[in-house]
Amino acid sequence: IVAITDSERVVDMLHTGKYDLLISKTNMPVISGIGLTRTIKAETAISHIPCVLLASANRGEERNAALEAGADLYVAKPIEQDDLMKEIAVLLQYKKVQAYLNSREHKAFELGDEYFATDEEKSFYEKVIAFIENNVKDTELSVEMISESLGCTTQEFYTRLKGITKKTPNEIIRA
């Protein structure tokens, strides 16, 4: 646990060490807790750090602004310390599960540089790659052609492929 009273130093501190959580008041001098959260969530290197904002009152507009900024938890004071600790424990457990589900260790099947959670994901990806390889010389090769060959809309194809590989269809085609 590190206590920092200068809100301007928080982002720099998060970049220098291993932090699992940020707890901030919403009303701080210089940078508000909402502004701080927005800054953290905008920086890829630290955006994974959960942000808990403590407010002096439960104001709807402030709560909405905090959540829109990326706050993982908005807590109005007064709150019992035990209750706050329970909420934070649940949040951290959720983040841990989320990190595992997004990790390569979770993926059960490997194909080249890609990892898949299910046989269905792997089969879908193999069909995409096979279609691209069979039509690579076609100057009209497009996302629409691939999605049509798989029997889905372009949006369904994009969403499914992005969910499996974290790459867009155009990134797969160009690879």
Side-chain angles (χ1 to χ4, degrees):
I1 296 176
V2 177
I4 303 171
T5 57
D6 181 359
S7 57
E8 292 180 305
R9 289 187 42 225
V10 172
V11 174
D12 292 334
M13 294 286 295
L14 292 175
H15 280 289
T16 62
K18 170 73 172 108
Y19 296 94
D20 296 320
L21 177 72
L22 171 81
I23 301 174
S24 172
K25 295 189 288 185
T26 55
N27 58 343
M28 296 189 311
V30 186
I31 302 172
S32 72
I34 293 171
L36 180 61
T37 298
R38 188 174 288 111
T39 300
I40 291 167
K41 296 302 180 175
E43 293 194 29
T44 305
I46 57 175
S47 64
H48 65 282
I49 298 172
C51 297
V52 176
L53 294 180
L54 302 176
S56 56
N58 192 4
R59 294 183 291 239
E61 286 181 23
E62 182 180 75
R63 183 181 200 294
N64 289 340
L67 295 174
E68 286 173 6
D72 296 278
L73 189 59
Y74 176 91
V75 180
K77 297 186 287 184
I79 185 169
E80 293 293 324
Q81 185 174 350
D82 286 346
D83 292 340
L84 179 60
M85 296 304 285
K86 287 176 190 171
E87 295 239 19
I88 290 171
V90 168
L91 175 63
L92 291 175
Q93 181 61 31
Y94 170 77
K95 290 291 186 174
K96 184 177 178 181
V97 169
Q98 193 176 39
Y100 171 73
L101 291 175
N102 290 324
S103 72
R104 289 182 177 223
E105 292 84 38
H106 168 69
K107 302 296 183 174
F109 303 97
E110 183 178 347
L111 181 66
D113 290 336
E114 301 298 332
Y115 292 81
F116 306 97
T118 65
D119 275 328
E120 184 181 340
E121 283 183 359
K122 182 178 177 187
S123 174
F124 178 81
Y125 185 76
E126 287 173 335
K127 288 176 187 175
V128 170
I129 297 302
F131 186 87
I132 292 170
E133 287 174 352
N134 292 335
N135 295 281
V136 73
K137 293 185 181 186
D138 185 347
T139 58
E140 301 295 316
L141 180 62
S142 67
V143 174
E144 290 78 16
M145 284 177 63
I146 300 169
S147 61
E148 188 176 306
S149 78
L150 296 168
C152 56
T153 68
T154 304
Q155 184 61 44
E156 290 168 340
F157 172 65
Y158 178 89
T159 303
R160 191 166 176 197
L161 188 65
K162 185 84 171 162
I164 293 171
T165 67
K166 308 292 186 249
K167 295 177 185 173
T168 67
N170 286 323
E171 289 172 326
I172 299 288
I173 291 170
R174 283 187 237 124

